[in-house]
Structure formats: C-alpha cells, structure tokens
Amino acid sequence: MADATDSSDPVDALLATVDDGDVAFDGLRLEPVADGDDRRFALETPTLDRSTFGRSELRDVLETVEEYVTNWYYWQGDVGGEGTARRAFLRWCERAPVVGEAVTAPSAETTLEANRTVPETANGKVPETTAETDQTLQVPQRQDALRDGIDREWGQLCITARFVDVDEPDGVRVYDLWHVDDADTDVADLEVYDDPRNAREIATTDEDGRYRPLKTAPTLPSGWAFTGLSGDELVETVGSVYPATIANWHRERLGELDVDHWLETAERQTGIYDVVDELPRDAVEWMADACCVDSQCLRRREWEYEEGDELDVDGGDGPFPCREPCSLVVAAARKWAILESETERTYELELTTSEFNQLGELIDAVAEGRTDEIREADLGDGANRYRARYLRAKRFDDDGLEARKRPEEY
C-alpha cells in the first residue's frame, strides 16, 4: 500500500493510497468501485452524500472536503503508529475518537451534541474516568476548536492542542504544556522550554525544592511552560513528568491492563523487603488510606489486597490507573511491617481534655501536610507552633513523653 508520506500534498497522498484499497478514517470514506482506464471512486463524508467520481474530477471534489483530507493526512502521515498508546493519547488530547477510529458518517443535519460519543474499550466497557469527560468531536468541530486550542488536563498538567497555521490550517498540530495552576497566566510570565528533557528536572523537586520521590504526587511545581511541541515531543514530555501513565491509560481503555494486587506483589519481594508480606490485612487498609488516595497520589488505585478481596479504601479518581503497589508503598510497608510486629502495651498519660484534643489536631496537621499553613499568631489551632512547644515543655521530659506503663507491665 502507498505510504501517506510519499507525497507532501495531502490530496496526492490520498489518491495514491486509495489506488491500493479503501480509505475509511474519521468520517471520510473513499473507495475504488471500478477498474480500468475509467476508474471511478466512491466518496462519502458526514457533509457529503455518497457519490462516485472519475479520477479527473475527484481531485476537485476532495478540495471541497479539505478538512477531512488534511485530518487524514496528519494522522496517517505525520503521526502514524495505529494502535499505539502514543497515537491514542494524541487523539485524546483533541477529543478525537480513540478506540475504533473510523466514525460512522451521519447526515449533514446531525447536531454537534448528537455527534458526541463516548469511546469504549475493546471489551465494550466505558472506563469510569472517561465516561463523563471524554465526549469526542467529529472533524469539522475539531477543526474549529483547534484554531483556538483544545485544552485537556492530565493530572496537574494542562495540555493545549492547536493548529500551527490558524488562518490557513493544513492539519499540522502542535502542543503546549504547562501546570494547571498557570492556565490563566501569561506565557511571558513563565519559564518557557521547548526541549522535553527539561521536564525531568522540573518534576524532580516540589515548590520548596524538596525531592519528589513519587512522581504522581500532587506536588508538581508551577511557573513553567513548554510551547510548540510536536506530538512525539509532547508524549516524551508527559512521560518524563508522569512515567508510564500514558501506556497504562491506553491498556486500560483496551481492557488489557494487567493488575498485580498487594499480596502477589508482597510475596515476590526479596532482601530487606521480604518482610512486607507479613503486614496484616488491616494494616494494608491503613497503608492504602495513608498513601493511595487523591490527596497523596494522582493515580487511581486498581490493585486490591488480592484477586476477589477488595480494600475498603476508595481507589481515587485519578485520570490514569495504578496497576500495582509502587516502590514508595513497598518501602513504607517494610517500615510498617516492622512496627506492626511490636507487642502492644497500655500506657497512662495525664492530659487535660484540651491537650488530648490538641494531640489529635497535631496528628491531623502533619498527616495533611498543612503545618506550614498555620500562622504563628493563630493560637486557636492545636497544631500552632507555640501551642506545640508549650505542650512539649509541660508534658515531655528530656527522655520524651512522660507516660507510665501500668504496674503489671513492669
């Protein structure tokens, strides 16, 4: 079959391709219906009823549906890679159909709202995370939207797909990328990059310069932008910020996501992590509540305790799935497995009611990562620094908390 890139002219490339067989893509259908010197072709689009044309007149007709031709040329020539996660992601970025890419041609009177569809996975199920948000647009609506730019969110990333040439679009897209918190910020006020390799450095630390051990934590710093990226550059950049998320998102849409649950992951650990399979079932629940919720990770947890034994903790609403416990969870589980092996004791601690409540407020503030937000003058907050220092001075000695074991425990 002729390669769509054999010609720099989209119409020439399409004519060369249809000589070898039918073309059906995004509502454009073109097929040879007669051979010989007077070969004829059947053409149909959502805006053009099916008609047959000779080669000499077909070119003129194709120019009347140029948006469908240039759209086909971009995806088949510039992007390619049918069936790949890269291609699926780029189509998602502009709200194009992702699975089952040929769109059935409706009548020209069909409204935009009726044209919107929800993509299904290969097994016929609509992923919960996309059922309400991934309404797709047909070619004419996408062409109009790409002139202004189509925005999508991927975790803390805002992605804009747009035409290179807005006035006379030839189908070629470029992509801009920045933090969602900077969506309304002038690009001139941001640090602008065009090399995907810079993304790895940006994602290494948080706003305060602290190392980010979990790349999908909601702590990505803002203040930067990538502009004018090609499709391949966009995928590389996103992959540097959120590794493997595009591939796993694509597998999930196809119904091919392979999930490793906690128990099977824990049992294959060796060395210093061999102990993690001793973590009690209840402790795995607490661990998921501590690490695997939206406030801590943007991935949506799909793994459970084991096949058929689901955890009670909600898996979150992230756009991309988590198919197995990550290295950070396994490392934390090692510590908790050791701590859970300790024997429980009962201690007596004398506290006022307000001091007891203050301990709860301190734990909540640390767990929610809001200690830096508490003003020094806000003495009404139990996690206030001066309140905490007063409690330490009153109830702690040089060896720590003044707590006594019960007599029978000596």
Side-chain angles (χ1 to χ4, degrees):
M1 177 177 291
D3 192 327
T5 60
D6 287 348
S7 172
S8 60
D9 180 78
V11 173
D12 286 342
L14 181 58
L15 291 175
T17 301
V18 77
D19 277 334
D20 293 328
D22 298 354
V23 172
F25 184 77
D26 270 1
L28 170 69
R29 297 190 62 86
L30 181 62
E31 56 190 75
V33 293
D35 293 322
D37 295 336
D38 189 24
R39 194 173 196 189
R40 298 187 67 78
F41 302 86
L43 173 65
E44 181 181 10
T45 73
T47 58
L48 181 67
D49 292 336
R50 181 181 174 89
S51 303
T52 59
F53 305 93
R55 179 176 290 277
S56 60
E57 58 184 335
L58 181 58
R59 170 178 288 278
D60 293 336
V61 177
L62 287 174
E63 290 179 353
T64 67
V65 290
E66 180 182 16
E67 56 193 3
Y68 287 94
V69 178
T70 56
N71 177 72
W72 167 87
Y73 185 76
Y74 173 72
W75 288 107
Q76 301 303 89
D78 290 4
V79 178
E82 291 190 52
T84 64
R86 172 181 63 86
R87 179 186 176 97
F89 179 71
L90 292 176
R91 289 182 65 78
W92 173 86
C93 285
E94 64 177 64
R95 298 190 182 276
V98 175
V99 179
E101 299 198 341
V103 179
T104 302
S107 65
E109 290 77 23
T110 305
T111 65
L112 170 61
E113 190 64 30
N115 283 342
R116 290 178 174 172
T117 61
V118 178
E120 294 184 347
T121 59
N123 60 12
K125 296 181 179 179
V126 178
E128 293 181 2
T129 56
T130 62
E132 296 182 358
T133 60
D134 276 10
Q135 292 179 322
T136 61
L137 302 178
Q138 288 196 15
V139 172
Q141 290 75 37
R142 294 210 314 271
Q143 297 277 313
D144 289 341
L146 284 166
R147 288 181 169 86
D148 295 326
I150 299 176
D151 295 333
R152 303 304 305 264
E153 289 188 8
W154 189 257
Q156 288 186 290
L157 299 178
C158 181
I159 301 168
T160 298
R162 58 182 173 85
F163 282 136
V164 174
D165 188 337
V166 177
D167 296 325
E168 297 183 12
D170 57 2
V172 178
R173 282 79 153 161
V174 289
Y175 305 87
D176 303 323
L177 180 72
W178 57 85
H179 196 288
V180 291
D181 290 347
D182 294 324
D184 297 324
T185 303
D186 193 305
V187 174
D189 296 328
L190 302 174
E191 190 75 25
V192 179
Y193 302 92
D194 57 12
D195 187 339
R197 290 174 295 184
N198 293 124
R200 190 177 303 277
E201 181 179 352
I202 291 172
T204 298
T205 58
D206 63 15
E207 295 278 9
D208 296 320
R210 297 171 298 192
Y211 176 68
R212 299 174 66 241
L214 182 63
K215 291 298 181 283
T216 49
T219 56
L220 186 68
S222 57
W224 49 267
F226 289 81
T227 60
L229 298 175
S230 67
D232 285 346
E233 289 171 336
L234 173 69
V235 172
E236 181 182 350
T237 305
V238 172
S240 294
V241 177
Y242 296 136
T245 56
I246 293 177
N248 287 333
W249 164 85
H250 184 53
R251 292 190 188 103
E252 182 181 50
R253 294 180 73 97
L254 296 177
E256 298 173 356
L257 184 69
D258 54 327
V259 177
D260 288 345
H261 297 287
W262 167 253
L263 205 54
E264 59 187 298
T265 300
E267 289 176 345
R268 68 167 180 259
Q269 302 303 312
T270 59
I272 63 172
Y273 297 104
D274 181 59
V275 69
V276 300
D277 63 351
E278 299 175 14
L279 194 66
R281 172 67 169 72
D282 286 346
V284 176
E285 290 273 5
W286 302 330
M287 178 181 67
D289 194 19
C291 302
C292 307
V293 292
D294 287 341
S295 65
Q296 306 303 309
C297 182
L298 298 174
R299 287 182 295 181
R300 175 177 19 91
R301 179 180 56 78
E302 293 298 320
W303 54 268
E304 305 293 348
Y305 183 70
E306 63 179 322
E307 184 70 32
D309 186 356
E310 296 185 1
L311 298 175
D312 291 334
V313 179
D314 185 78
D317 298 315
F320 27 82
C322 176
R323 54 170 294 274
E324 65 178 346
C326 67
S327 58
L328 182 64
V329 165
V330 172
R334 174 179 176 269
K335 182 63 176 179
W336 284 317
I338 295 171
L339 294 177
E340 289 295 331
S341 68
E342 295 180 1
T343 301
E344 290 187 347
R345 297 174 181 268
T346 301
Y347 293 85
E348 291 183 351
L349 177 64
E350 292 184 355
L351 295 171
T352 66
T353 299
S354 294
E355 289 170 348
F356 177 79
N357 292 334
Q358 183 183 355
L359 285 178
E361 292 180 54
L362 280 166
I363 292 173
D364 283 344
V366 173
E368 298 300 328
R370 63 178 187 85
T371 53
D372 291 342
E373 302 172 8
I374 301 172
R375 295 180 296 108
E376 292 186 353
D378 187 6
L379 295 171
D381 194 314
N384 171 273
R385 181 160 62 92
Y386 295 117
R387 287 277 304 275
R389 290 177 62 84
Y390 182 90
L391 183 65
R392 184 180 68 176
K394 178 180 179 181
R395 297 299 185 184
F396 285 62
D397 57 23
D398 292 340
D399 296 325
L401 188 66
E402 291 184 352
R404 298 187 301 272
K405 291 185 292 186
R406 292 181 180 276
E408 63 269 18
E409 296 179 318
Y410 282 93

